[in-house]
Amino acid sequence: MTHDGTGSGTSTIDLLGLLQVADDLAAGRRQDTDSTLQLVVAGLREHLGMDVAFVGVFEGGQRRIRTVAERLDGPPVLPVGTCDPLEESYCARVADGRTPEFVPDARHEPSVADLPGTTQLPVGTHLSVPIRLSDGSVYGTLCGFTREPDPQLQARELGVLRLVARLLATHLEREARPGDELARDRTRVQGALDERPPEIALQPVLALEDLRVVGFEALARFPDGRAPDGWFALAATVGLGVELELVAVRAALRRLPDLPPGAYLAVNASAAAVCSESMGDLVDGLDDSVLARLVVELTEQTGVPDYDVLRERLSALRGRGARVAVDDAGTGYAGLHRILELSPDLIKLDRLLVDGVAGDEVRQSLVSALTWFARRSGAQIVAEGIEREADARVLRRLGVPFGQGHLLGEPVLAR
């Protein structure tokens, strides 16, 4: 651990430690919420090299600073407890989509150039992501900024913020809910487990060279229309996250006969689900012929508390013919660390890196580097979120062999 000024004298942690602490908080392994939030925010500020990082809470038309970490080179600019009109905050404008989550230079961003904070704090480069609860409502935002524009900060850093925000949301929702509401939500999730399980939509994965279908990703769709991330987050808050994941995996496996011969089926699972006894029981009941067509795609719904255990479980799957995919490559150090630790068979380029790659030389350079790494390590690259023909052409030129996205094929439910 290192000591870096945070306004409160709190020691900070490296990125892996930060994600572990946030995951502990989400899983209920830490109860000292305020000090843990401070530790997470301080670690995030240091990792990104920002001057200020904070959690802002939306309350009655106000934005209240709940936790903040600042450099110790002057008076604090955002003391804990500070309240501002919500409409005058970056936070509200990011949450409702008026302001991008990544602002390279606030003085040149029309949606915030007129706000007092832009000139008074001042704000240079700004990153912010909403902290969304399982019902889709916004608790607040996880933010950071530099006082002067910092060209070293890039939009890909949002991947780290989003992961931390998801973990914080799980705990903050549990913290805010009374026991009877938690009981109602648990009953609701249990109903999804027992009575109305999710349907599975299949999105094709194509070879970019000849547009041949090589596989399908299974995507959960819930009867009430709520976003899948919201359902899985709700299940996690009531202690049924792994159970809901396994229900979705079982539903996906039932669609395997619908696939063309030779096409693989990719199912999403968190590290917690892969390491669970229930997943072990499910895999034990599958024929090797099924596992030979299965790709286990590790999600970031939870962190990885023990890589040794995870590697052991994945090795057992691979021993019977299954393959492993890691997503969100190119959006931050956490994704790169998982690639190095797990040596996946497939590396999925995050849509944040893919979208707009045709017009961005930095994105192209990173895609080229990851493609070279994949070839050297024996992995295959899959680009997610391809929506433009120009991006598809550039990805093909850069040597990316596979892709998926709305341009190549929409997710389709069973008929």
Side-chain angles (χ1 to χ4, degrees), residues 59-381:
E59 294 177 338
Q62 299 281 307
R63 190 275 312 272
R64 175 175 63 85
I65 303 301
R66 173 163 181 177
T67 305
V68 64
E70 302 184 30
R71 292 188 190 275
L72 285 179
D73 57 0
V77 297
L78 284 177
V80 171
T82 299
C83 290
D84 301 300
L86 190 57
E87 185 54 32
E88 294 181 8
S89 71
Y90 282 63
C91 299
R93 301 187 184 199
V94 169
D96 64 20
R98 284 177 290 170
T99 295
E101 293 181 341
F102 174 69
V103 177
D105 187 344
R107 294 168 298 185
H108 298 142
E109 169 53 48
S111 63
V112 296
D114 63 331
L115 293 182
T118 301
T119 55
Q120 293 176 9
L121 289 176
V123 175
T125 300
H126 187 273
L127 295 91
S128 177
V129 296
I131 301 175
R132 294 190 184 276
L133 304 182
S134 61
D135 62 0
S137 64
V138 178
Y139 172 90
T141 51
L142 177 63
C143 307
F145 63 87
T146 57
R147 292 183 174 90
E148 295 294 331
D150 184 351
Q152 293 187 358
L153 284 170
Q154 300 293 324
R156 59 179 175 268
E157 301 292 359
L158 290 171
V160 177
L161 266 72
R162 293 188 185 115
L163 174 56
V164 174
R166 287 200 297 269
L167 294 170
L168 293 183
T170 299
H171 171 77
L172 293 169
E173 181 159 19
R174 184 170 56 239
E175 175 191 64
R177 289 185 172 185
D180 57 345
E181 187 175 349
L182 281 173
R184 286 196 300 271
D185 283 341
R186 186 177 178 85
T187 299
R188 186 178 176 195
V189 174
Q190 194 66 55
L193 296 173
D194 299 336
E195 301 167 13
R196 302 187 69 191
E199 295 183 276
I200 297 298
L202 296 177
Q203 184 171 38
V205 179
L206 276 62
L208 295 181
E209 187 62 35
D210 58 9
L211 300 184
R212 169 177 47 89
V213 174
V214 297
F216 292 84
E217 181 178 358
L219 302 170
R221 296 292 184 262
F222 291 84
D224 65 353
R226 176 185 289 196
D229 285 350
W231 262 103
F232 287 114
L234 177 63
T237 64
V238 298
L240 293 173
V242 168
E243 287 81 355
L244 186 59
E245 285 188 64
L246 292 175
V247 164
V249 170
R250 291 188 183 97
L253 289 170
R254 287 195 289 272
R255 294 217 54 188
L256 190 58
D258 300 337
L259 272 57
Y264 68 75
L265 175 68
V267 297
N268 292 285
S270 67
V274 171
C275 294
S276 68
E277 291 186 10
S278 298
M279 177 66 89
D281 293 340
L282 172 60
V283 170
D284 287 344
L286 298 177
D287 291 334
D288 286 354
S289 60
V290 172
L291 287 168
R293 300 181 66 185
L294 190 67
V295 171
V296 177
E297 186 169 325
L298 285 171
T299 68
E300 290 189 337
Q301 287 170 258
T302 63
V304 181
D306 192 328
Y307 270 103
D308 289 337
V309 173
L310 180 58
R311 278 192 293 266
E312 181 182 341
R313 297 300 177 89
L314 294 177
S315 177
L317 283 166
R318 283 167 156 163
R320 295 185 58 196
R323 290 182 289 169
V324 174
V326 167
D327 62 5
D328 296 331
T331 59
Y333 180 70
L336 178 60
H337 179 72
R338 287 190 303 155
I339 292 171
L340 295 176
E341 288 283 350
L342 302 176
S343 300
D345 305 288
L346 284 78
I347 298 173
K348 305 196 74 173
L349 300 182
D350 188 83
R351 65 184 63 247
L352 184 66
L353 178 60
V354 170
D355 188 27
V357 69
D360 190 327
E361 292 185 358
V362 174
R363 282 182 167 85
Q364 292 174 28
S365 296
L366 186 53
V367 169
S368 293
L370 289 169
T371 302
W372 176 87
F373 171 83
R375 286 197 297 266
R376 291 294 299 269
S377 63
Q380 296 177 324
I381 291 281

Side-chain angles (χ1 to χ4, degrees), residues 20-40 66 168 170-177 182 236-237:
Q20 181 62 69
V21 170
D23 187 54
D24 287 346
L25 189 64
R29 293 188 290 268
R30 285 175 176 256
Q31 303 302 321
D32 50 340
T33 299
D34 288 333
S35 62
T36 302
L37 279 176
Q38 174 66 29
L39 186 61
V40 169
R66 173 163 181 177
L168 293 183
T170 299
H171 171 77
L172 293 169
E173 181 159 19
R174 184 170 56 239
E175 175 191 64
R177 289 185 172 185
L182 281 173
T237 64

